[in-house]
Amino acid sequence: MANYKLVDLKIMGDERGSLIALEGNKNVPFEIKRVYYIFGTKQGVVRGRHAHRTLKQLVVALKGSCDFVLDDGKKRVYIRLDNPAVGLYIEDMIWREMENFSEDCVLMVLANEYYNGSDYVKDYDDFLELIKK
Ligand code: TYD
């Protein structure tokens, strides 16, 4: 699967602790139009379960951990996000599910577009059909 990648984020650390800076079209592979974050996810919840027609995103587990399932219609990969110095870049037309959220998990998501409900593909069979085209 070529349409996702893990990105190492450089830590500007010193004796006081750590700092990471994210900049559009630099270490973030697109211009950032939107940032949202997911926290307080209840035990056993699965989030996501959709693909995006055009949206590209970079996800960072700022705190805690969760598991990503990514699916391009041919292959499934499982990625554990548990490091604030690693970003998961997800391109368009990838089915994603997030599960096994730790209680303290804070997931920050950067996106290249504003929120648009019609960009979502929420049915897995529809996703498979769109992939074929
Ligand atoms: P949703 O996309 O269902 O979250 P996830 O796929 O991560 O489980 O989003 C939950 C709700 O928040 C839904 O009603 C849409 C709304 N929402 C916005 O208004 N703006 C946003 O940027 C996002 C991501 C969601």
Side-chain angles (χ1 to χ4, degrees):
M1 260 171 79
N3 26 18
Y4 80 94
K5 67 180 174 195
L6 287 166
V7 183
D8 281 323
L9 305 170
K10 187 169 172 276
I11 301 176
M12 260 85 71
D14 57 31
E15 64 287 348
R16 298 168 299 169
S18 304
L19 183 154
I20 290 175
L22 300 178
E23 296 182 297
N25 290 328
K26 291 192 175 178
N27 56 349
V28 176
F30 49 78
E31 202 160 318
I32 302 156
K33 275 205 180 167
R34 174 164 55 110
V35 179
Y36 63 94
Y37 37 96
I38 296 171
F39 56 98
T41 307
K42 304 277 186 290
Q43 285 285 304
V45 163
V46 179
R47 298 201 60 123
R49 288 192 196 271
H50 63 255
H52 284 284
R53 294 169 198 274
T54 64
L55 192 72
K56 295 170 178 54
Q57 299 187 297
L58 183 83
V59 189
V60 183
L62 292 183
K63 191 169 172 63
S65 62
C66 78
D67 292 334
F68 266 76
V69 182
L70 299 182
D71 181 334
D72 67 354
K74 298 188 188 84
K75 213 177 146 202
R76 271 196 166 210
V77 295
Y78 296 84
I79 297 160
R80 182 160 194 80
L81 275 195
D82 61 1
N83 182 347
V86 175
L88 173 61
Y89 172 57
I90 308 174
E91 289 194 340
D92 48 287
M93 288 311 280
I94 303 224
W95 187 265
R96 84 284 315 272
E97 299 178 3
M98 300 92 93
E99 57 194 17
N100 299 324
F101 284 83
S102 65
E103 217 173 289
D104 61 347
C105 182
V106 182
L107 265 194
M108 179 182 68
V109 187
L110 311 185
N112 75 328
E113 270 307 334
Y114 298 121
Y115 177 73
N116 172 10
S118 57
D119 192 64
Y120 283 64
V121 184
K122 291 191 171 178
D123 181 88
Y124 188 70
D125 291 331
D126 291 346
F127 166 70
L128 292 180
E129 279 303 312
L130 284 166
I131 283 291
K132 277 193 214 157
K133 284 176 198 159

